[in-house]
Amino acid sequence: MSGAESLRVELGARAYDIHVGRGLLERAGELCAPLLAERRVFVVTDATVARLHAARLEAGFAAAGVATHRIELPPGESTKTWDELGRLLDRLLDLRPERRSLVVALGGGVVGDIAGLAASLLLRGIDFVQAPTTLLAQVDSAVGGKTAVDARQGKNLVGAFHQPRLVLCDLDALATLPGRELLAGYAEVAKYGLLGDAGFFAWCEGNAARLLAGDPAAQAHAVAESCRAKARIVGADEREAGQRALLNLGHTFAHAFETAAGYGDALLHGEAVGLGMCLAFDLSVELGLCPPADAARVRRHAAAVGLPTRPPQGGWDAGRLLALMAQDKKARGGLTFILARGIGDAFVAHDVPADAVRRILAAVLAA
Ligand code: NAD
Ligand code: GLY
């Protein structure tokens, strides 16, 4: 495809393409045509994205003679609830879907996660396409088929694996993204370097400023490289029996902070991941597994780009954070973390001593 890069997630019968490029929303009808069994699609989006990007997508389908039915959700993490999922399913059912109907998720990770879960449940599972509009969704959440809503007890605790049939990463969408959201998404870009590719982390150190300033080439490279890394990992381990867990670097800390903060605006998911990655490296040093210089380099980079290296002010309770970490989805009785032997060399660690985690939390909460 001219001007766009196409990657493939190799999953046998569930394999699919990821297109990374400009103007892809305008071409959605043409690109989705092979997936369409009827001349209509259901577009699930949020109110902010609808205002900024739905017209381009809908024009793209109209150009291919495909009608769109748009469903708008409230923006933000607080939309990822069981109640909101029920309302979404109800609205989709009112449109009388058939087994071969197609849902298109247009938005960030929130829209992708809830629309994907709705698609997995509707009529016992219908197809969906991811059209991610945040950096975070383009480099992470739109690829790999994890769908979920949050529960009072923790993040993403109710969900399903349901792979999209296609992912359209339209880089033009990033132009309207607020700087704070771009930066939050950038944490997931740096994650790929930290977990398995020291060379890519070095590229991040050298190019993050350009990327965050909106440089098109830097953004295209970051999205394509991130999708390539994620596609490789998901292709090898779709259900997280092994290496896919490495994608959760920083997430045990991040999810605990996000849950304790109540999924509000105080700490965005990507910001929590940035903080969590610093803490995961600190914990690796604390356990004697990682050179202190590597943890310092991670923290230095986070600080240089403006990601939080400590949680925002506000009555954090270390005991509650620890309890939340113990019920993380990765946990098997004891505490499970993704730790690192160094930059680019992460691994899964079960039964991590709670005392060491307590010391890391005490240090960051006192800072
Ligand atoms: P989000 O979907 O809430 O989007 C962030 C904000 O940006 C929203 O207010 C949205 O309306 C707005 N927005 C989206 N696109 C825009 C654009 N182009 N221009 C202007 N504004 C825009 O958040 P997110 O950071 O994209 O995703 C976070 C979610 O993703 C979390 O719920 C997290 O759990 C989930 N996630 C899932 C996976 C997975 O594998 N399924 C992986 C990582 C994260
Ligand atoms: N973001 C973690 C995963 O997709 O596995």
Side-chain angles (χ1 to χ4, degrees), residues 189-229:
V189 174
K191 180 185 79 178
Y192 293 105
L194 292 175
L195 73 88
D197 187 344
F200 184 59
F201 185 68
W203 180 89
C204 287
E205 289 175 308
N207 293 277
R210 281 200 308 130
L211 184 163
L212 294 167
D215 181 87
Q219 291 187 345
H221 183 76
V223 174
E225 285 310 303
S226 300
C227 286
R228 202 184 314 283

Side-chain angles (χ1 to χ4, degrees), residues 140 143-144 146 191 230 234 240 244 247-248 251:
D140 190 359
V143 176
K146 280 190 181 177
K191 180 185 79 178
K230 182 140 186 191
V234 169
E240 203 167 299
R244 183 164 182 170
L247 295 170
N248 292 316
H251 284 58

Side-chain angles (χ1 to χ4, degrees), residues 120-145:
S120 81
L121 294 169
L122 210 58
L123 311 183
R124 298 200 177 89
I126 67 170
D127 285 347
F128 83 118
V129 166
Q130 290 273 19
T133 60
T134 63
L135 181 61
L136 184 138
Q138 294 194 355
V139 301
D140 190 359
S141 64
V143 176

